[in-house]
Amino acid sequence: MATDPIKQRLRELLATLAPEVSGSGSTADLTSRVARAIGRPRDDVAWLVLAVVTARLPERQSVIDLRRAIALDGAEPALRDIVSAARRRAALRAGFEPRVRILQGETLVDVQHTARTGLATGIQRVVRMTLQQWSAQHEILLVGWNSRLDALRMLTDRERENAIHGTDRDAASAVRSVPEVVVPWESTYILPELAIEGERTSRMLALAEFSRNETAVVGFDCVPLTSAETVGVGMGGAFGKNLAAVARFGRVAAISEAAANEYRGWVDMLGGANLAGPTVSAVVLPSDVGEVDDDGLERAREALTIEDLPLLLCVGSHEPRKNHLAVLAAAEFLWRKGHRFSLAFVGGNSWGDTEFKTQVAQLRRLGRPLTTVTAISDDILWGGYRIARATVFPSFNEGFGLPVAESLAVGTPVVTSAFGSMREIAAAGGALLVDPRSDADVARALEDVLFDDAVNEKLRAEALARPKRGWAEYAAELWEVLVDGSNSVPDDRATTGRGER
């Protein structure tokens, strides 16, 4: 006979709130015992009760409503109403209601998007390289969300593999049903990726504000706030919902000092809503030196170069913020001056890339040595960095600018923007800084680095002399800030906005 899902959840609650109390008996008996364990109205317990009995992480107002109901009518009547509603829902979904498991004292890493995507640049690269280190060094549980984005679950083996290594791009297609959802309690919840789905972020908000969990997030940038004109329609609002949740988190580890300053400025603004906001630290991304053998270098030449011409490499998606139209304009200026070189773009298509694609097609019709690649292996990426005469990254705003650091790490000069995280990365040498809004400035720097041997050699020497810092060091520092740093939060920060204890 199948286990009654409601009774299973009530027993799970009892085992957590009152482990000394018997978990046997009828639903009514279990409801009465849980009600006695709830005691006085408390936001944290109300959050847990809702999460477990409904098998859904609650939203903020639901927690407040339950706490008020307990205060007005008592715990048992309020709990009976929730149990009855859950029972009706279970009857409608006969055979498909999940079990609930409370996770205590664990470290949960939420990689919903990374586990289900084939993307391998930017955020996904940071997440995967970090997980490779953490999974080898620490006890972590990788979690995602159900199809409704209202409950956490453990990843499947295929999703876990894709989250860590990016080798199973169809992992999401294997998820059919969720037999068990998980509820963190007195654990650490880490979000190392960007979450912008409304259902997901609204539940993250309540988890961070009310539950007895430490919460931490990797902060990539605040571009939708600081450069809203460069992001897609709807992204600003979605990012605002993300920030509404992060405002209740305990810690943010920004990927650069520039990104940390953006988050600190935002935290200062939260005082107007009487929110303390998270503690913000900078854990700067590494300057990784990816490995590639001779075969990989040859594959990179075949994929990226044209007619053995000197290669100018541009890595990144084609969204307007990356400023690839300026790269095309500067390249065409140099081609018209008679310079011979090839230009390769490596990166996925994205919103707002219609004009980029149109101009690429026009330049190809003119016979320009230009290629675009949307999906490549690591050996082609790292081979491309090594065989390039130079790389170009004139973005308008970046949380870090990973292609700048990666190119410099292998000794290849970069032309990049003269502000923000890009200037921060370039400070140790190896780059020419430009005004990305000036096509002439970009073209001048590209001409110097591509065709002035003295400039190129000087920049290469500077790049090779830069201090090296890999993913192992980054992951260790990130863990220290996000997990080990949980006891360093001042007492007055630990309770602000977290509900009644």
Side-chain angles (χ1 to χ4, degrees), residues 159-390:
E159 288 177 308
R160 180 182 174 85
E161 178 70 16
N162 194 52
I164 297 175
H165 300 292
T167 53
D168 190 348
R169 298 180 179 182
D170 295 323
S173 64
V175 181
R176 292 289 181 265
S177 62
V178 180
E180 180 181 79
V181 301
V182 295
V183 175
W185 185 245
E186 297 176 343
S187 292
T188 298
Y189 169 85
I190 299 174
L191 179 68
E193 61 181 23
L194 178 62
I196 56 174
E197 306 92 339
E199 285 293 319
R200 185 180 175 194
T201 55
S202 66
R203 286 163 169 79
M204 285 165 40
L205 185 157
L207 183 154
E209 181 170 5
F210 297 127
S211 75
R212 290 188 199 171
N213 293 294
E214 296 290 340
T215 49
V217 62
V218 175
F220 288 92
D221 59 59
C222 289
V223 168
L225 292 182
T226 57
S227 302
E229 75 282 3
T230 68
V231 300
V233 175
M235 183 59 184
F239 187 72
K241 296 296 186 182
N242 170 273
L243 288 184
V246 175
R248 277 81 174 176
F249 273 53
R251 296 176 295 284
V252 172
I255 60 175
S256 66
E257 286 291 347
N261 286 335
E262 288 187 346
Y263 275 96
R264 289 175 185 131
W266 163 71
V267 168
D268 286 344
M269 294 167 58
L270 293 176
N274 197 32
L275 292 172
T279 299
V280 179
S281 304
V283 183
V284 180
L285 290 181
S287 300
D288 189 28
V289 183
E291 298 298 326
V292 60
D293 57 19
D294 290 341
D295 290 340
L297 288 173
E298 185 58 33
R299 285 191 291 272
R301 290 189 180 92
E302 292 176 358
L304 302 176
T305 62
I306 298 174
E307 299 177 358
D308 294 325
L309 293 170
L311 173 64
L312 174 63
L313 182 66
C314 184
V315 177
S317 61
H318 308 312
E319 61 187 282
R321 174 170 57 91
K322 303 296 184 179
N323 200 24
H324 289 175
L325 294 181
V327 176
L328 292 174
E332 175 62 3
F333 177 80
L334 297 180
W335 281 322
R336 290 190 183 189
K337 285 187 68 173
H339 289 300
R340 287 177 53 77
F341 66 99
S342 64
L343 170 60
F345 290 92
V346 171
N349 296 325
S350 63
W351 84 275
D353 61 0
T354 302
E355 182 62 23
F356 170 80
K357 291 178 179 177
T358 299
Q359 293 198 23
V360 165
Q362 290 174 346
L363 291 171
R364 282 177 172 162
R365 284 195 291 270
L366 293 173
R368 302 310 189 198
L370 168 63
T371 187
T372 62
V373 183
T374 58
I376 61 172
S377 59
D378 279 354
D379 60 350
I380 293 179
L381 175 64
W382 288 107
Y385 280 130
R386 284 174 167 82
I387 65 176
R389 175 77 168 171

Side-chain angles (χ1 to χ4, degrees), residues 105-118:
E106 303 285 359
T107 300
L108 287 71
V109 185
D110 180 356
V111 286
Q112 164 73 9
H113 184 252
T114 305
R116 300 163 65 85
T117 185

